[in-house]
Structures are given as C-alpha cells and as structure tokens.
Amino acid sequence: MMGDHFLEVARHLRDTQKNHPEDFRSVAKQLKIGIRKAYNLAQISRTFDDLSVPIERLRRIGWTKLALLSSYVDADNIDMLLAKAADSTAHELKMYLQGNEFDPEGKTVVLHLDGEQYTAFEQALLKAGAVPHSRGLLNKEEALIALLTASLSS
C-alpha cells in the first residue's frame, strides 16, 4: 500500500502517535501494516524530518534501512550514514551499525521446524550459550557453531 509514499505514511503515523495515540493501532490496521512497522515508520519521521535531507534520497534508501539508521543518525553523521546505507544491503548496514564485520562469504540458513523440533533446538542453543531475548535468541550463531564443533570432535 505504501510503496514510494512511505515517508508520507510515516509522517501521518508520527502525527497520529503524537496527537491521537489512542488511534495509533487502528490507523496501522487501516494501513494494513503491523504495529512494529508502524512504530518504525513513526520513528523514521521523527528522526529524518528535521535533518534537511532531500526526500528523494530518503526514498531511494528505503524504509527498512532508514529504520535501522534512526537510532544512530544525527546532524553530524547523517551524510556518512546515508551513503553507507545507499551502498549496503540492510543486513550489511545492520552489521556495520552494531560494530561487526560483514562476511561476504557468509550464508543465511533458514530452518522450518515444528513446535517440538524448535523446543529441542532452542534448549540446545540455550545450553550452548545463546541468550533469551524478547525477539528470540541472542548469540544463536555462536551457540550453534559450538554445538556443531563439539559434535564433529566426538
């Protein structure tokens, strides 16, 4: 629904959040977007509206990368971070912002587990050092590699 108009939607959500917070969830629902995305868009508007960046530059970067930048950007670093965002994937940008190196040889692994399998998977990762977090597990990659390395050395 948003397409190239995500900045206008972001401004509308920010205004709704400020002036009519009780309507925020219903506006997000009417826009057919999730509440997390609605909050991200409102944050984008709060962050970038006062930084005098040409709207077309922001549109080219896209809402996903702008949402990542919104916690880091200020008047002093905006040009550098927008340039980095323009030249990076969202994953690369996230790694950069967290101070981690991006490995171009790295691979993404997707697993489709049923409930029982996921419970076993989660318990094993927690035992190997993963940390529970509200949005899943932290350090899961390191924990999984520790488990795999241990199984190969047996």
Coordinates of all heavy atoms in Angstrom, one line a residue, residues 9 66 89 117 126 143 147-148:
V9 N 3.3 8.3 4.8 CA 2.7 7.5 5.8 C 3.4 7.6 7.1 O 2.7 7.7 8.2 CB 2.7 6.0 5.3 CG1 2.2 5.0 6.3 CG2 1.9 5.8 4.0
L66 N 16.3 3.0 6.7 CA 16.1 4.2 7.5 C 15.7 3.9 8.9 O 16.1 4.5 9.9 CB 15.0 5.1 6.8 CG 15.4 5.8 5.5 CD1 14.3 6.6 4.9 CD2 16.7 6.6 5.6
T89 N 23.4 -3.6 1.7 CA 22.2 -4.3 2.0 C 21.7 -3.9 3.4 O 22.5 -3.5 4.2 CB 22.3 -5.8 1.8 OG1 23.1 -6.3 2.9 CG2 22.8 -6.2 0.5
Q117 N 10.4 -29.8 17.5 CA 11.7 -29.6 17.0 C 12.3 -28.3 17.4 O 13.5 -28.2 17.8 CB 11.8 -29.7 15.5 CG 11.5 -31.0 14.9 CD 11.3 -31.0 13.4 OE1 10.7 -30.0 12.8 NE2 11.7 -32.1 12.7
L126 N 20.3 -22.6 24.0 CA 20.4 -22.0 25.3 C 21.5 -22.7 26.2 O 22.3 -22.0 26.8 CB 19.1 -22.0 26.1 CG 18.0 -21.1 25.5 CD1 16.7 -21.4 26.1 CD2 18.4 -19.7 25.7
A143 N 26.4 -20.2 19.5 CA 26.0 -21.4 20.2 C 25.8 -22.5 19.2 O 26.3 -23.7 19.5 CB 24.7 -21.1 20.9
L147 N 28.0 -26.1 19.2 CA 27.3 -27.4 19.2 C 27.9 -28.3 18.1 O 28.2 -29.5 18.2 CB 25.8 -27.3 19.1 CG 25.1 -26.8 20.4 CD1 23.6 -26.5 20.1 CD2 25.2 -27.8 21.5
L148 N 27.9 -27.7 16.9 CA 28.4 -28.4 15.7 C 29.9 -28.8 15.8 O 30.2 -29.9 15.5 CB 28.2 -27.6 14.5 CG 26.7 -27.3 14.1 CD1 26.6 -26.3 12.9 CD2 26.0 -28.6 13.7

